[in-house]
Structure formats: structure tokens, C-alpha cells
Amino acid sequence: MPQSVPSFIDMLADCHRSAVHLEMRDAYAVGDEVDEFEAWRSGHRTNWDDRESWWHPFYQAVSDAVGRGVVVRRARVVCEPVTEYIRYEHYITQANVVAGEQVRWLPRRRATDIAFPGNDFWLFDDRLVRVNHFTGDGVMVDQEVIEDPDVAKLCSSAFEAVWERAVPHEEYQV
């Protein structure tokens, strides 16, 4: 029987100190991002001055958490040269930064000696892991929440190793 997973926004609202996200795929095909990616490929660019046109509940939840003192960090491990999707993701990361996330990028060739969990994840307060499961072509098919201290420790260790080596968003060139 599938596990009932709270929404990301609810989990972030219950977070007190830190929320970290490790992404390790070079392409995603998740929800509205599919259409947004296609629009970007066709030349559409976001008007960052028109916040109403791109701000949505995810960014508000991050902004609210940061306002409460939660440190929100995201690290992406990417192949180089980067995929077209990663170029798009780098472009739209401006929204994450405006919301208050700290974002860094690590070229995969610099990650060979890091022990990684098998899936992308969010780690809340170093104890609660939200795991994202994807198909080979980047469609999210399932999520689970794990409260095992050993899994949380592995995820924290992997994230911190990536974070230490990764390039801050504003310095990473795609």
C-alpha cells in the first residue's frame, strides 16, 4: 500500500532549522516545468520584474521558511557539458534565489568520491528525508518520507560534501 506523503509545502512549514535539496539528474519532466521548458526552448524568457507572472506557492513557502530563520539550500550535481534542460534550470534558478534559497552547482566529475543515496531528496532538520523517485526520462512517479537516522545521516553527509565543493549559483557558468 502506498505511503501517504505530506505536501512539500506542509513539510517545509513544519521545518525549524534547515531544508536541503540534492538534485542529481540532468533532465526532469515534472508537472508545469515541461511546458515552461518548451516555452524557454522556443525563446520565452521570464520577466523577473513582473513577480506576479512567475511567483507561485513553492516560492512563497521557501520565502516564508527563510523568513522564519530556516536555511534553505539546494545543490545540483550535473554533467558537463550541461544538457539543454540544465541550461534552462540554471536560468530559472533566479526564482529560487529571489525566494531565499542558496543554490550551488557541482560538476559530476568532481563528485566521484562522494557516497550518494540513490535518489534525489529533501532533508528537513537533519532528520526527515523526502525521497523523489523518477522514471528514466525524468517523470516523478513516487515520493516517500523516511525517518531513519541512518538514511538522514547518509543524505546529510552527501549533501554537505557536494555543498563544500560546489560552485555558487551566481558564479556557475553554463
Side-chain angles (χ1 to χ4, degrees), residues 56-153:
H56 55 70
F58 171 85
Y59 300 124
Q60 188 61 53
V62 169
S63 181
D64 292 346
V66 170
R68 293 192 322 272
V70 175
V71 176
V72 181
R73 297 181 294 160
R74 176 185 305 253
R76 294 181 170 130
V77 179
V78 296
C79 291
E80 290 182 327
V82 299
T83 63
E84 184 178 29
Y85 184 86
I86 293 298
R87 285 195 309 275
Y88 157 74
E89 198 169 50
H90 187 270
Y91 173 77
I92 63 166
T93 295
Q94 175 65 23
N96 301 81
V97 171
V98 169
E101 272 190 64
Q102 300 170 43
V103 181
R104 292 187 181 180
W105 303 79
L106 181 66
R108 195 172 307 279
R109 68 177 41 232
R110 296 181 53 206
T112 302
D113 61 341
I114 299 173
F116 286 109
N119 299 291
D120 289 10
F121 64 85
W122 277 94
L123 174 61
F124 299 94
D125 291 333
D126 292 317
R127 65 171 193 80
L128 196 61
V129 182
R130 181 187 182 99
V131 179
N132 300 322
H133 298 284
F134 296 91
T135 63
D137 57 359
V139 175
M140 188 181 300
V141 292
D142 195 18
Q143 298 175 326
E144 65 179 313
V145 175
I146 301 172
E147 294 188 61
D148 182 325
D150 291 332
V151 174
K153 184 177 177 181

Side-chain angles (χ1 to χ4, degrees), residues 18-66:
S18 67
V20 301
H21 185 37
L22 184 60
E23 296 180 349
M24 299 178 284
R25 300 183 54 84
D26 288 306
Y28 293 88
V30 179
D32 293 341
E33 282 187 26
V34 175
D35 293 335
E36 293 168 8
F37 174 54
E38 288 305 318
W40 178 85
R41 289 178 78 199
S42 298
H44 172 76
R45 295 300 179 261
T46 302
N47 177 355
W48 297 114
D49 293 329
D50 180 14
R51 187 167 150 165
E52 254 185 61
S53 70
W54 56 268
W55 192 259
H56 55 70
F58 171 85
Y59 300 124
Q60 188 61 53
V62 169
S63 181
D64 292 346
V66 170

Side-chain angles (χ1 to χ4, degrees), residues 162-173:
V162 168
W163 189 259
E164 183 178 302
R165 296 179 191 182
V167 178
H169 173 72
E170 61 277 1
E171 296 173 23
Y172 187 70
Q173 302 296 313

